[in-house]
Amino acid sequence: MIGKVDVEDYEDIIDYFETDSDLDELEIVSRLSMEDDWDTATPELKQRILAVDNLVLERYADWFEYDLFKRYIATIKRRLQLEEDKNQR
């Protein structure tokens, strides 16, 4: 289940990227696991996650080339597209 604390922690990824902290990988793994539990998040928490995902894509999508990061970027792109498609129906 995705809770408020999970989302608050994920929101820190922006600071981790900006400060070149190794903690970004922890939040990447956390975000990937959120996909499995996506339907357990409230609409408010989903919107907060998607807001961070958008910022990451805008600012950091081309920063790294390692496999975990590539998988993370592909995952958040896919989620954003799914949500956009759902909202257009």
Side-chain angles (χ1 to χ4, degrees), residues 39-53:
D39 293 331
T40 67
T42 65
E44 174 197 354
L45 293 178
K46 288 178 182 178
Q47 289 307 309
R48 289 173 59 182
I49 294 166
L50 295 171
V52 173
D53 290 350

Side-chain angles (χ1 to χ4, degrees), residues 50 57 75-88:
L50 295 171
L57 287 180
T75 298
I76 64 176
K77 280 182 180 178
R78 185 174 52 250
R79 173 53 61 191
L80 288 165
Q81 186 62 54
L82 287 170
E83 295 301 312
E84 182 180 322
D85 292 348
K86 186 168 76 171
N87 290 332
Q88 289 180 357

Side-chain angles (χ1 to χ4, degrees), residues 1 3 6 22-23 25-26 33 46 59-60 66 72 80:
M1 177 172 196
D6 301 313
D22 292 338
L23 293 173
E25 288 187 21
L26 177 66
S33 72
K46 288 178 182 178
R59 297 180 186 175
Y60 313 105
Y66 60 93
Y72 165 63
L80 288 165

Side-chain angles (χ1 to χ4, degrees), residues 9-85:
D9 288 346
Y10 179 55
E11 290 169 331
D12 291 338
I13 199 167
I14 303 301
D15 292 333
Y16 298 154
F17 285 142
E18 288 299 321
T19 61
D20 197 28
S21 171
D22 292 338
L23 293 173
D24 63 340
E25 288 187 21
L26 177 66
E27 293 310 322
I28 287 171
V29 171
S30 174
R31 175 62 185 88
L32 291 172
S33 72
M34 287 181 194
E35 280 302 295
D36 296 332
D37 297 325
W38 186 255
D39 293 331
T40 67
T42 65
E44 174 197 354
L45 293 178
K46 288 178 182 178
Q47 289 307 309
R48 289 173 59 182
I49 294 166
L50 295 171
V52 173
D53 290 350
N54 271 314
L55 280 173
V56 168
L57 287 180
E58 289 173 13
R59 297 180 186 175
Y60 313 105
D62 60 353
W63 276 31
F64 305 105
E65 289 294 322
Y66 60 93
D67 289 338
L68 179 64
F69 188 76
K70 288 181 186 179
R71 190 169 126 219
Y72 165 63
I73 294 299
T75 298
I76 64 176
K77 280 182 180 178
R78 185 174 52 250
R79 173 53 61 191
L80 288 165
Q81 186 62 54
L82 287 170
E83 295 301 312
E84 182 180 322
D85 292 348

